[in-house]
């Protein structure tokens, strides 16, 4: 599943960057979301796979803190990018004649930059909350099941949900593979 997540999201990034028809705000945000999904899953899954392979459940304190830092960073960034994508669709639907003026490349870049900066600043509040909160009372099994669903399944399905059902994306992927075989 990890390889499907990485390759699916990487394929989206490559298709969007190689097809000039997809150089629009919506696909710009989608390629950023795909990049963040790769980073998000790469934060925990390799260590989890290593632990399964070595039949070990240990992690150093520093490793744990680092993993939590990047996990929360990319999770919140995912949320901000989805919010920016929702704003993009709002402008496209509610102001279609002004869409290209409102969603210009400068604003799109600024929205992505603000998403990154907001995540960094909000992360420190979240980290403080983690340190100040007490241990969760949930069972280990339900926590691990929820963790796998959130960190593996959702990012794996995002390429299918956000792009592979889209005819423009299908056309770009087909052109990408035809260009690669010639």
């Amino acid at each position: 599943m990890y390889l499907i997540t990485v390759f699916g999201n990487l394929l989206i990034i490559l298709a969007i960057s190689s097809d000039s028809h997809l150089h629009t705000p919506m696909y710009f945000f989608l390629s950023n979301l795909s990049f963040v999904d790769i980073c998000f899953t790469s934060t925990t899954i390799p260590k989890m796979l290593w632990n399964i392979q070595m039949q070990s459940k240990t992690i150093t304190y520093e490793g744990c803190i680092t993993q939590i830092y990047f996990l929360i960073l990319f999770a919140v960034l995912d949320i901000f990018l989805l919010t920016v994508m929702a704003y993009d669709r709002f402008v496209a639907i509610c102001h279609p004649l002004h869409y290209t003026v409102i969603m210009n490349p400068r604003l799109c870049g600024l929205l992505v930059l603000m998403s990154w900066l907001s995540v960094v600043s909000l992360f420190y509040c979240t980290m403080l909350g983690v340190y100040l909160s007490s241990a969760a009372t949930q069972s280990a099994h339900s926590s691990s099941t929820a963790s796998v669903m959130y960190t593996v399944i959702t990012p794996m399905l995002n390429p299918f949900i956000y792009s592979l059902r889209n005819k423009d994306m299908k056309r770009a992927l087909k052109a990408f593979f035809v260009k690669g075989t010639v």
Side-chain angles (χ1 to χ4, degrees):
M1 286 195 278
Y2 175 65
L3 291 177
I4 292 170
T5 302
V6 172
F7 288 130
N9 283 298
L10 192 58
L11 194 59
I12 289 172
I13 294 168
L14 292 172
I16 290 171
S17 63
S18 67
D19 188 340
S20 62
H21 294 99
L22 299 181
H23 292 179
T24 64
M26 179 178 76
Y27 291 109
F28 174 72
F29 298 135
L30 183 62
S31 63
N32 278 277
L33 182 67
S34 291
F35 174 72
V36 170
D37 279 345
I38 290 170
C39 295
F40 178 74
T41 56
S42 297
T43 302
T44 56
I45 304 306
K47 175 66 175 159
M48 181 185 74
L49 294 174
W50 175 261
N51 287 351
I52 291 170
Q53 180 69 26
M54 296 296 140
Q55 297 181 354
S56 167
K57 294 182 181 181
T58 62
I59 186 169
T60 65
Y61 178 75
E62 295 81 12
C64 181
I65 295 300
T66 303
Q67 198 174 53
I68 288 172
Y69 174 85
F70 286 107
L71 181 73
I72 294 171
L73 177 83
F74 293 124
V76 174
L77 187 55
D78 231 4
I79 293 166
F80 277 108
L81 284 172
L82 289 171
T83 304
V84 168
M85 290 171 75
Y87 175 71
D88 174 66
R89 295 297 82 203
F90 167 78
V91 172
I93 292 167
C94 295
H95 304 288
L97 298 177
H98 296 111
Y99 177 75
T100 55
V101 174
I102 295 171
M103 296 304 292
N104 59 59
R106 184 173 180 259
L107 178 64
C108 292
L110 185 62
L111 287 171
V112 169
L113 178 64
M114 291 307 296
S115 293
W116 280 92
L117 291 173
S118 298
V119 167
V120 170
S121 61
L122 286 175
F123 175 76
Y124 290 106
C125 295
T126 307
M127 188 169 58
L128 183 62
V130 168
Y131 282 118
L132 297 177
S133 68
S134 62
T137 57
Q138 298 180 22
S139 73
H141 179 69
S142 65
S143 293
S144 62
T145 302
S147 296
V148 168
M149 289 298 289
Y150 187 72
T151 59
V152 179
I153 304 298
T154 304
M156 181 184 74
L157 294 177
N158 276 347
F160 300 105
I161 294 168
Y162 290 112
S163 60
L164 297 181
R165 292 181 49 197
N166 179 317
K167 66 178 175 150
D168 294 331
M169 197 64 183
K170 286 179 185 176
R171 181 186 45 75
L173 287 170
K174 198 176 289 184
F176 179 76
F177 283 116
V178 169
K179 188 179 0 176
T181 59
V182 174

